[in-house]
Amino acid sequence: MRNKERIINQVIRLVTAITLVAVPIIAKADGPLGKRIPLKNGMILLLSEKHDIPMVTVNMALKAGNTAEPQDKPGLASLTASLLMQGTTKRTASRINREIDFIGGSLSVSGGDDFASASLRVLKKDVKTGMDLLSDVLMNPAFDQREIDRTVKEALAEIQRQKEEPETVASEAFAKAVFGKHPYGITSDDVAAYLPKLARQDLLDFYRQHYGPNNTIIAVVGDVKEKEIIALLNGYFKDWKRAEQPVQPSPAPPKVDRTTVLKLEKNITQANIVMGRIGISRQDPDYYAVSIMNYILGGGGFTSRLMDNIRDNRGLAYDVHSMFSARKEPGAFSVRIQTKNESANEVISETLKEIGRIRSEPVSDKELADAKAYLTGSFALRMDTSAKIAGILTSIEIYNLGLDYPQKYPAIIQAVTREDLLRVAKKYLDPDRMVIVVVANQEKAKLKR
Amino acid sequence: MNYSKKIVFCILIICLSGLSAFSHDLKVTEKVLPNGLKILLKEERKAPVVTFQIWYKVGSRNEALGKTGMSHLLEHMMFKGAKKYGPKQFSQMVQKNGGNDNAFTSKDYTAYFENFASDRIEISLDLESDRMQGLLLEPREFLSEQKVVKEERRMRYEDDPTSTMVEQMMATAFMAHPYQWPVIGWMADLGNIARDDLFNHYKTYYAPNNATIVAVGDFETKKLLPLIEKYFGAIPRGPDVSAVGAVEPKQLGERRIIVKKEAELPAVFAGYKTPNLKHPDSYALDVLQGILSSGKSSRLYASLVYEKQLALYAGGEYDNITNDPNLFYVYAGVMPGKTTEEVEKALYAEIEKLKTEPVTDEELRKAKNQIEAGFIMGQDSVFFQAMLLGRHETVASWKMLEKYLAGIRAVTKDDIKRVAKEYFFEDNRTVGILVPVKK
């Protein structure tokens, strides 16, 4: 599907001019965004009733991501998630697909770093059918050997196909260098080496250990009443067995004491550059100062310093942005750019220059004010659809932000000072301890580093 | 991870509740100003946000070989300063007001948008009226942006083997019509375009009489309408835009292209010339598309990916919201160990089945249910609703949306079989094959 969307969006139809801003999850509302309701079986329900459209959106997060899998079985968590949709003790894979398609709904389960996720969208009139399907795939997976074989084959083919994408190759090499044996650094090569050895019992074990109501958050947004949805969830998820094992601590990422450059050869026209280092977790108190600092550096779309310098003034890239991937555990700070091979040196040195500048001098009052105005002013846009609200509710629960987070947020942002930004820039952006990955035609890129 | 804005057009439908048997009142207020500017306003009070979009009737269809890509390059320049708001100021202005902005260009249109909290909509009027008439097109900015678009082309096409193949397939399918070239333009043409070419393109197509304003969201129509008139009413009407006369002649035999490029897996695309949304067969082709490709129970996925395991992905798209007739195409990515011949044959087997056997009642019902549910669910987003209005109005009329569901409901099993026979035959087909080579 990913490929299909890519082709449709990029080739046949549209070409877009600007890169949009990627901002952290936040929300705005007059009252609390929803209600937190622990259910009998241990599942945590977050409910936001929304009666303007006869539709229901469900978003689940399960502590069954890559961080939960044994170190010697990379990819087991994702494969388990994929297989939940491939048949249950009551329904074949084809029947699951037919039933959800027939009501014009959507249902999916997928893996992730910290969490596996499941999502469901149906019309209000079909909410029972939807819950029946959702609970069936989560509670009764069959792990049929033919489905395992087919899914493994598909996963291996997809891994091969992604070798075509220079940005994916660069991202994976970057993740491996920054995270080492930590699960955030699992690459598709690791997965491809393990999958042929995977046994059905591995899936059964992982499922038993990590899937269960005590490991599950469920956000429901839409045209349902509290009593009705609680009754439905209590009914459909009544017999779900508890997950047996807590997630074990992950190995620490490697210490980096100098900047390293990884040069990967590919016969392409653009150098795909990813540079950065370990960043922060979502629960770090520095998160908000880092968000504002990053907005000014390279997160703020067309108004960021990196975009202004590298795209707007020099015409060297279509897209350049920086991000802090803030999750349960410290994720990466990264800058990502594609530029013609011949410009790779210039782009790397300009990026390092901008990183150096934001660490050595305070941002201007105007930059700080504009960043704060954007982050607080775009609240409403970050919760203008059901799916966005469901995503925010899930994050509020995972990171313990509180259901009044939307009300608290402006004050949290306003409290950040120029000095805070300088401090976090110095702390987290160290140009002497970075990983720089360049996938390019190296003969043309002629990297000086 | 890609943070570029992507707008998903896979669902070409609008969202309504309260479906009636014949037509749906979309509750759109339409007004045309004396200078020819059309305004479509739809109040939606579910969230305190508003989307403002302006659609110009110009795209790569209005270009010529040697200078392809002008519309898209001009779109980029629209962010590089006008009379009131100079270079860099557009996005700064939008973002410091908590908004997001972007633009997109297609074969048939160029559109600009801002999404804001509802109390900020006047900023859109100020910015868009400024750049509708007073674009600077500064030579220095032009040279820099020309380089940016070349980088964009490298990223999207030069280094993406499947996109390269599809680009060349389109160039093969159309001989006499401008749909043959890519929206972003051929690489050499990007270097040929001069600043004055863009200026002429701008003067020709950027005028109130060649544009539609669409706003959907939390506003009062009776307050917004006079405000729009205040900002845009005084902009003079431009010269009439001459029609694109190109007509693609009837195809007289299958065309095939092979693209050999470094890649991991082969891919097959096959496009059939079909009428667009202005033709009554468009409804049956939409339903047929659903049967072939909507969801994992659809025929192409179930057969090629799931059962036969010939393809890593497979699907079909009907690209019909266009000014002129375009393609219905089916495609698949080949699994390792399988051949393009096997995959191509399997795609055609599914096409042939549509011509010889009636689809089942369940499939027909399912495809219609998917379309109707998509209508209702799409209502969740004001941006999506505005997109549909803008697209339909630009290539035909937004009012077609009000009749769309009735048209879908009327489609029968016989219609599906008939349109499959009418359009899906070998002589009407253009095939593109990506053949991976080692460096």
Side-chain angles (χ1 to χ4, degrees), chain B residues 374-400:
Chain B
F375 257 73
I376 295 167
M377 293 174 179
Q379 204 178 27
D380 200 31
S381 157
V382 293
F383 182 80
F384 182 69
Q385 293 185 66
M387 286 286 309
L388 287 174
L389 290 169
R391 276 185 95 193
H392 280 78
E393 177 59 25
T394 302
V395 302
S397 160
W398 68 270
K399 290 191 175 147
M400 296 194 74

mmCIF file of all heavy atoms in Angstrom, chain B residues 374-400:
data_model
loop_
_atom_site.group_PDB
_atom_site.id
_atom_site.type_symbol
_atom_site.label_atom_id
_atom_site.label_comp_id
_atom_site.label_asym_id
_atom_site.label_seq_id
_atom_site.Cartn_x
_atom_site.Cartn_y
_atom_site.Cartn_z
ATOM 1 N N GLY B 374 -17.056 6.096 2.683
ATOM 2 C CA GLY B 374 -16.010 7.085 2.435
ATOM 3 C C GLY B 374 -16.577 8.498 2.401
ATOM 4 O O GLY B 374 -15.966 9.436 2.901
ATOM 5 N N PHE B 375 -17.772 8.643 1.831
ATOM 6 C CA PHE B 375 -18.458 9.941 1.812
ATOM 7 C C PHE B 375 -18.664 10.461 3.217
ATOM 8 O O PHE B 375 -18.363 11.608 3.531
ATOM 9 C CB PHE B 375 -19.859 9.770 1.198
ATOM 10 C CG PHE B 375 -19.955 10.242 -0.207
ATOM 11 C CD1 PHE B 375 -19.371 9.514 -1.216
ATOM 12 C CD2 PHE B 375 -20.645 11.397 -0.524
ATOM 13 C CE1 PHE B 375 -19.464 9.932 -2.520
ATOM 14 C CE2 PHE B 375 -20.740 11.823 -1.836
ATOM 15 C CZ PHE B 375 -20.150 11.097 -2.835
ATOM 16 N N ILE B 376 -19.192 9.601 4.055
ATOM 17 C CA ILE B 376 -19.526 10.032 5.419
ATOM 18 C C ILE B 376 -18.245 10.298 6.214
ATOM 19 O O ILE B 376 -18.108 11.313 6.880
ATOM 20 C CB ILE B 376 -20.396 8.955 6.100
ATOM 21 C CG1 ILE B 376 -21.736 8.858 5.368
ATOM 22 C CG2 ILE B 376 -20.607 9.294 7.579
ATOM 23 C CD1 ILE B 376 -22.550 7.641 5.723
ATOM 24 N N MET B 377 -17.290 9.393 6.123
ATOM 25 C CA MET B 377 -16.071 9.521 6.920
ATOM 26 C C MET B 377 -15.225 10.711 6.473
ATOM 27 O O MET B 377 -14.554 11.344 7.286
ATOM 28 C CB MET B 377 -15.261 8.231 6.844
ATOM 29 C CG MET B 377 -15.963 7.062 7.531
ATOM 30 S SD MET B 377 -15.067 5.518 7.277
ATOM 31 C CE MET B 377 -16.104 4.381 8.215
ATOM 32 N N GLY B 378 -15.276 11.021 5.197
ATOM 33 C CA GLY B 378 -14.497 12.139 4.682
ATOM 34 C C GLY B 378 -14.934 13.465 5.263
ATOM 35 O O GLY B 378 -14.187 14.446 5.287
ATOM 36 N N GLN B 379 -16.159 13.499 5.764
ATOM 37 C CA GLN B 379 -16.703 14.722 6.348
ATOM 38 C C GLN B 379 -15.955 15.137 7.613
ATOM 39 O O GLN B 379 -16.097 16.246 8.087
ATOM 40 C CB GLN B 379 -18.172 14.456 6.679
ATOM 41 C CG GLN B 379 -19.023 15.677 6.738
ATOM 42 C CD GLN B 379 -20.469 15.298 7.026
ATOM 43 O OE1 GLN B 379 -20.753 14.279 7.638
ATOM 44 N NE2 GLN B 379 -21.379 16.130 6.574
ATOM 45 N N ASP B 380 -15.159 14.233 8.131
ATOM 46 C CA ASP B 380 -14.391 14.504 9.344
ATOM 47 C C ASP B 380 -13.353 15.609 9.123
ATOM 48 O O ASP B 380 -12.922 16.247 10.067
ATOM 49 C CB ASP B 380 -13.690 13.204 9.784
ATOM 50 C CG ASP B 380 -13.282 13.226 11.241
ATOM 51 O OD1 ASP B 380 -13.985 13.893 12.034
ATOM 52 O OD2 ASP B 380 -12.286 12.588 11.591
ATOM 53 N N SER B 381 -12.945 15.831 7.883
ATOM 54 C CA SER B 381 -11.877 16.792 7.620
ATOM 55 C C SER B 381 -12.368 17.944 6.747
ATOM 56 O O SER B 381 -12.864 17.721 5.637
ATOM 57 C CB SER B 381 -10.716 16.051 6.929
ATOM 58 O OG SER B 381 -9.921 16.944 6.192
ATOM 59 N N VAL B 382 -12.220 19.158 7.241
ATOM 60 C CA VAL B 382 -12.643 20.311 6.433
ATOM 61 C C VAL B 382 -11.724 20.474 5.216
ATOM 62 O O VAL B 382 -12.158 20.865 4.137
ATOM 63 C CB VAL B 382 -12.672 21.632 7.246
ATOM 64 C CG1 VAL B 382 -13.759 21.588 8.301
ATOM 65 C CG2 VAL B 382 -11.330 21.960 7.860
ATOM 66 N N PHE B 383 -10.468 20.143 5.389
ATOM 67 C CA PHE B 383 -9.519 20.260 4.291
ATOM 68 C C PHE B 383 -9.920 19.350 3.130
ATOM 69 O O PHE B 383 -9.942 19.748 1.966
ATOM 70 C CB PHE B 383 -8.109 19.894 4.778
ATOM 71 C CG PHE B 383 -7.063 20.026 3.712
ATOM 72 C CD1 PHE B 383 -6.547 21.267 3.401
ATOM 73 C CD2 PHE B 383 -6.615 18.926 3.009
ATOM 74 C CE1 PHE B 383 -5.599 21.407 2.400
ATOM 75 C CE2 PHE B 383 -5.668 19.056 2.010
ATOM 76 C CZ PHE B 383 -5.163 20.295 1.714
ATOM 77 N N PHE B 384 -10.259 18.112 3.470
ATOM 78 C CA PHE B 384 -10.651 17.147 2.456
ATOM 79 C C PHE B 384 -11.911 17.602 1.700
ATOM 80 O O PHE B 384 -11.993 17.496 0.477
ATOM 81 C CB PHE B 384 -10.875 15.786 3.131
ATOM 82 C CG PHE B 384 -11.248 14.693 2.195
ATOM 83 C CD1 PHE B 384 -10.321 14.204 1.292
ATOM 84 C CD2 PHE B 384 -12.519 14.137 2.207
ATOM 85 C CE1 PHE B 384 -10.664 13.176 0.415
ATOM 86 C CE2 PHE B 384 -12.860 13.115 1.337
ATOM 87 C CZ PHE B 384 -11.933 12.636 0.447
ATOM 88 N N GLN B 385 -12.858 18.126 2.443
ATOM 89 C CA GLN B 385 -14.083 18.604 1.790
ATOM 90 C C GLN B 385 -13.783 19.732 0.802
ATOM 91 O O GLN B 385 -14.331 19.782 -0.297
ATOM 92 C CB GLN B 385 -15.079 19.101 2.838
ATOM 93 C CG GLN B 385 -15.608 17.999 3.720
ATOM 94 C CD GLN B 385 -16.672 18.533 4.657
ATOM 95 O OE1 GLN B 385 -17.742 18.944 4.230
ATOM 96 N NE2 GLN B 385 -16.377 18.551 5.940
ATOM 97 N N ALA B 386 -12.917 20.645 1.222
ATOM 98 C CA ALA B 386 -12.566 21.765 0.339
ATOM 99 C C ALA B 386 -11.813 21.278 -0.899
ATOM 100 O O ALA B 386 -12.014 21.772 -2.007
ATOM 101 C CB ALA B 386 -11.730 22.791 1.105
ATOM 102 N N MET B 387 -10.951 20.270 -0.705
ATOM 103 C CA MET B 387 -10.224 19.679 -1.835
ATOM 104 C C MET B 387 -11.188 19.159 -2.898
ATOM 105 O O MET B 387 -10.988 19.362 -4.092
ATOM 106 C CB MET B 387 -9.402 18.476 -1.363
ATOM 107 C CG MET B 387 -8.168 18.767 -0.590
ATOM 108 S SD MET B 387 -6.840 19.401 -1.598
ATOM 109 C CE MET B 387 -6.774 18.202 -2.900
ATOM 110 N N LEU B 388 -12.212 18.446 -2.443
ATOM 111 C CA LEU B 388 -13.150 17.861 -3.402
ATOM 112 C C LEU B 388 -13.891 18.939 -4.171
ATOM 113 O O LEU B 388 -14.046 18.857 -5.390
ATOM 114 C CB LEU B 388 -14.154 16.974 -2.665
ATOM 115 C CG LEU B 388 -13.592 15.653 -2.162
ATOM 116 C CD1 LEU B 388 -14.645 14.933 -1.333
ATOM 117 C CD2 LEU B 388 -13.178 14.764 -3.332
ATOM 118 N N LEU B 389 -14.345 19.951 -3.451
ATOM 119 C CA LEU B 389 -15.061 21.041 -4.117
ATOM 120 C C LEU B 389 -14.148 21.724 -5.128
ATOM 121 O O LEU B 389 -14.535 21.969 -6.272
ATOM 122 C CB LEU B 389 -15.554 22.055 -3.074
ATOM 123 C CG LEU B 389 -16.687 21.587 -2.157
ATOM 124 C CD1 LEU B 389 -16.882 22.583 -1.005
ATOM 125 C CD2 LEU B 389 -17.985 21.428 -2.943
ATOM 126 N N GLY B 390 -12.932 22.028 -4.717
ATOM 127 C CA GLY B 390 -11.997 22.742 -5.582
ATOM 128 C C GLY B 390 -11.639 21.936 -6.824
ATOM 129 O O GLY B 390 -11.622 22.461 -7.940
ATOM 130 N N ARG B 391 -11.340 20.675 -6.636
ATOM 131 C CA ARG B 391 -10.958 19.830 -7.779
ATOM 132 C C ARG B 391 -12.087 19.707 -8.789
ATOM 133 O O ARG B 391 -11.890 19.844 -9.991
ATOM 134 C CB ARG B 391 -10.639 18.418 -7.297
ATOM 135 C CG ARG B 391 -9.260 18.224 -6.787
ATOM 136 C CD ARG B 391 -9.059 16.769 -6.474
ATOM 137 N NE ARG B 391 -8.447 16.072 -7.590
ATOM 138 C CZ ARG B 391 -8.376 14.759 -7.687
ATOM 139 N NH1 ARG B 391 -8.913 14.006 -6.767
ATOM 140 N NH2 ARG B 391 -7.787 14.194 -8.710
ATOM 141 N N HIS B 392 -13.290 19.399 -8.259
ATOM 142 C CA HIS B 392 -14.411 19.202 -9.182
ATOM 143 C C HIS B 392 -14.769 20.495 -9.907
ATOM 144 O O HIS B 392 -15.040 20.489 -11.092
ATOM 145 C CB HIS B 392 -15.617 18.627 -8.429
ATOM 146 C CG HIS B 392 -15.505 17.154 -8.195
ATOM 147 N ND1 HIS B 392 -14.720 16.629 -7.198
ATOM 148 C CD2 HIS B 392 -16.041 16.098 -8.853
ATOM 149 C CE1 HIS B 392 -14.794 15.306 -7.242
ATOM 150 N NE2 HIS B 392 -15.590 14.959 -8.240
ATOM 151 N N GLU B 393 -14.753 21.593 -9.178
ATOM 152 C CA GLU B 393 -15.099 22.866 -9.804
ATOM 153 C C GLU B 393 -14.075 23.232 -10.877
ATOM 154 O O GLU B 393 -14.409 23.761 -11.934
ATOM 155 C CB GLU B 393 -15.186 23.974 -8.741
ATOM 156 C CG GLU B 393 -15.472 25.355 -9.299
ATOM 157 C CD GLU B 393 -16.780 25.442 -10.081
ATOM 158 O OE1 GLU B 393 -17.696 24.627 -9.823
ATOM 159 O OE2 GLU B 393 -16.878 26.315 -10.968
ATOM 160 N N THR B 394 -12.816 22.927 -10.615
ATOM 161 C CA THR B 394 -11.764 23.328 -11.549
ATOM 162 C C THR B 394 -11.810 22.533 -12.854
ATOM 163 O O THR B 394 -11.593 23.084 -13.929
ATOM 164 C CB THR B 394 -10.383 23.189 -10.871
ATOM 165 O OG1 THR B 394 -10.381 24.010 -9.701
ATOM 166 C CG2 THR B 394 -9.262 23.647 -11.789
ATOM 167 N N VAL B 395 -12.132 21.254 -12.778
ATOM 168 C CA VAL B 395 -12.148 20.470 -14.023
ATOM 169 C C VAL B 395 -13.548 20.329 -14.619
ATOM 170 O O VAL B 395 -13.693 20.041 -15.805
ATOM 171 C CB VAL B 395 -11.525 19.057 -13.836
ATOM 172 C CG1 VAL B 395 -10.095 19.176 -13.339
ATOM 173 C CG2 VAL B 395 -12.363 18.188 -12.910
ATOM 174 N N ALA B 396 -14.594 20.535 -13.796
ATOM 175 C CA ALA B 396 -15.947 20.387 -14.318
ATOM 176 C C ALA B 396 -16.880 21.329 -13.551
ATOM 177 O O ALA B 396 -16.970 22.507 -13.872
ATOM 178 C CB ALA B 396 -16.406 18.948 -14.189
ATOM 179 N N SER B 397 -17.548 20.801 -12.513
ATOM 180 C CA SER B 397 -18.405 21.635 -11.681
ATOM 181 C C SER B 397 -18.542 20.963 -10.317
ATOM 182 O O SER B 397 -18.677 19.741 -10.237
ATOM 183 C CB SER B 397 -19.793 21.764 -12.314
ATOM 184 O OG SER B 397 -20.722 22.160 -11.321
ATOM 185 N N TRP B 398 -18.509 21.766 -9.262
ATOM 186 C CA TRP B 398 -18.647 21.162 -7.926
ATOM 187 C C TRP B 398 -20.006 20.501 -7.769
ATOM 188 O O TRP B 398 -20.186 19.613 -6.957
ATOM 189 C CB TRP B 398 -18.421 22.218 -6.831
ATOM 190 C CG TRP B 398 -19.481 23.277 -6.746
ATOM 191 C CD1 TRP B 398 -19.515 24.463 -7.401
ATOM 192 C CD2 TRP B 398 -20.672 23.233 -5.947
ATOM 193 N NE1 TRP B 398 -20.640 25.169 -7.081
ATOM 194 C CE2 TRP B 398 -21.366 24.431 -6.183
ATOM 195 C CE3 TRP B 398 -21.211 22.294 -5.060
ATOM 196 C CZ2 TRP B 398 -22.597 24.731 -5.566
ATOM 197 C CZ3 TRP B 398 -22.427 22.583 -4.437
ATOM 198 C CH2 TRP B 398 -23.105 23.792 -4.693
ATOM 199 N N LYS B 399 -20.969 20.931 -8.584
ATOM 200 C CA LYS B 399 -22.322 20.379 -8.434
ATOM 201 C C LYS B 399 -22.384 18.897 -8.800
ATOM 202 O O LYS B 399 -23.317 18.193 -8.417
ATOM 203 C CB LYS B 399 -23.300 21.183 -9.281
ATOM 204 C CG LYS B 399 -23.494 22.566 -8.677
ATOM 205 C CD LYS B 399 -24.624 23.327 -9.293
ATOM 206 C CE LYS B 399 -24.808 24.634 -8.522
ATOM 207 N NZ LYS B 399 -25.243 25.735 -9.334
ATOM 208 N N MET B 400 -21.390 18.433 -9.544
ATOM 209 C CA MET B 400 -21.361 16.998 -9.867
ATOM 210 C C MET B 400 -21.295 16.169 -8.591
ATOM 211 O O MET B 400 -21.755 15.029 -8.551
ATOM 212 C CB MET B 400 -20.143 16.674 -10.728
ATOM 213 C CG MET B 400 -20.181 17.369 -12.073
ATOM 214 S SD MET B 400 -18.973 16.676 -13.208
ATOM 215 C CE MET B 400 -19.771 15.124 -13.602
#
